[in-house]
Structure formats: structure tokens, C-alpha cells
Amino acid sequence: MSLLSIRLFGDPVLRLRAGEVTDFDDALRRLADDMLQTMREADGAGLAANQVGVLKRLFTWEAGDEHGAFVNPEVLETSEEIQEGDEGCLSFPGLFYPTKRPLRVSLRINDVHGEEHKIESATPLQARIFLHELDHLNGILFIDHLARHDRKEAMRRIRNGELEHPRPRPEGEPPPA
Ligand code: NI
């Protein structure tokens, strides 16, 4: 396995739509393994292929004891109930802002062998991660969901060069995705 380099905000690849995966081959499984390792090394909760410069509909995630690699994910249903909480992103190291997300989501995914599964988020954190990563695959970033004043502040901090490079996560801060 090898560590991949995580693209930061400003890299145009983060604004592109990733393409459907059609070949469930060893190269895909190697990419998923490398992404999982890269995500763990960066102390993240999720990582989409765009974030390592690969335009394939694939993301990895980890929350508590559970982790996975989802291919060609599609939202089947989201709850009307909303959760609010701080969210971060490995492409915006050091930035965390309150971000509203549905409390629950169900997905249709393929695993890395091409088998189809229906997935229900088991926790609010899983729902948040799944929806954050799905956004990445469509070129959407968490700052797009922020309240106007938070978004302005985030953009100002980015312009000032405040994106911190990988750093230990302070206690109590949520894992970025
Ligand atoms: Ni992210």
C-alpha cells in the first residue's frame, strides 16, 4: 500500500464530477486500500477519490469500529430530520464550521468487487460522512453548505493562507472527511 497526496482547496479536481466505475478490478481495490490508509494517516473520517486526484466514484470512510469503501454510491432516501454540528474536510485542514445535514441516509452502493448493497447510516456521524463524500464526487464542497457569514469567514481564512497542513487533531474536534 502507498500513501497518496491529498489535494487542498483550490485544486480544480475538487470541483469536477467523478465518473462511474465500470471495472471492478485489482487496480480499483488497490486504490481503495491506498485511500483508506491515506485517510487514516491523516486522521480523517472519510476520503473521496477526487481528493487524491482520481475522478472515480469511490470513497472510503471510517467511524468507530466500522469502515468501508463505497463505489458508485447513490442516495435512495434522506431523513427530513436535520442534524447540526461542526464539519471539516481533509481538503480544508484546520477549518471546522457548523454544517446542516440530514440525520439519516440510505444509499445504494457497489462494493469493490462490484456487488450491489443497500446501506443505511447507523449513526448521525455516518450519515454526515456519507453525504459529505457523495458531495465530493459531484464537485460539491462542505463550504457550499455553510451559513453565509461562516462561508465568508472561511474564504477569508483560506485567502490568508490559514489552511493548516496535516496536524494532530485536538481533543473534541470532529474528524475531517
Ligand atoms: Ni471532504
Side-chain angles (χ1 to χ4, degrees):
M1 283 195 281
S2 49
L3 288 180
L4 307 169
S5 136
I6 298 178
R7 308 297 180 88
L8 297 183
F9 178 69
D11 190 315
V13 77
L14 295 175
R15 284 302 192 184
L16 297 178
R17 185 183 188 279
E20 301 293 321
V21 171
T22 51
D23 295 330
F24 295 86
D25 55 9
D26 286 345
L28 179 73
R29 288 182 279 277
R30 200 172 316 121
L31 174 62
D33 286 346
D34 288 347
M35 283 172 53
L36 192 64
Q37 191 192 20
T38 301
M39 180 188 84
R40 286 173 167 162
E41 193 73 22
D43 204 12
L47 183 68
N50 311 44
Q51 292 178 280
V52 294
V54 178
L55 287 171
K56 289 185 177 174
R57 300 187 81 74
L58 161 68
F59 71 77
T60 57
W61 64 276
E62 184 159 50
D65 299 338
E66 293 189 81
H67 67 272
F70 290 175
V71 184
N72 297 338
E74 285 171 28
V75 172
L76 295 174
E77 205 176 347
T78 52
S79 65
E80 285 189 17
E81 280 171 279
I82 297 291
Q83 57 174 315
E84 298 197 54
D86 276 352
E87 190 168 307
C89 177
L90 289 173
S91 296
F92 295 79
L95 263 54
F96 292 87
Y97 286 99
T99 310
K100 287 181 186 170
R101 298 279 185 187
L103 193 59
R104 292 177 302 278
V105 61
S106 60
L107 305 177
R108 190 214 64 80
I109 64 131
N110 293 111
D111 63 28
V112 292
H113 303 281
E115 294 293 321
E116 197 171 304
H117 303 272
K118 188 181 170 193
I119 304 288
E120 309 260 2
S121 57
T123 63
L125 178 60
Q126 281 186 15
R128 181 178 289 285
I129 297 168
F130 296 167
L131 289 162
H132 177 114
E133 302 313 325
L134 256 150
D135 273 352
H136 271 302
L137 301 181
N138 294 322
I140 297 167
L141 300 170
F142 89 112
I143 53 165
D144 302 339
H145 293 287
L146 302 188
R148 197 182 152 93
H149 59 279
D150 283 339
R151 185 181 155 94
K152 277 178 78 170
E153 188 197 286
M155 294 310 292
R156 182 184 55 73
R157 290 176 62 191
I158 292 163
R159 276 197 306 276
N160 290 346
E162 282 187 43
L163 286 191
E164 292 177 57
H165 284 280
R167 75 208 212 289
R169 175 153 52 94
E171 202 164 331
E173 189 175 271

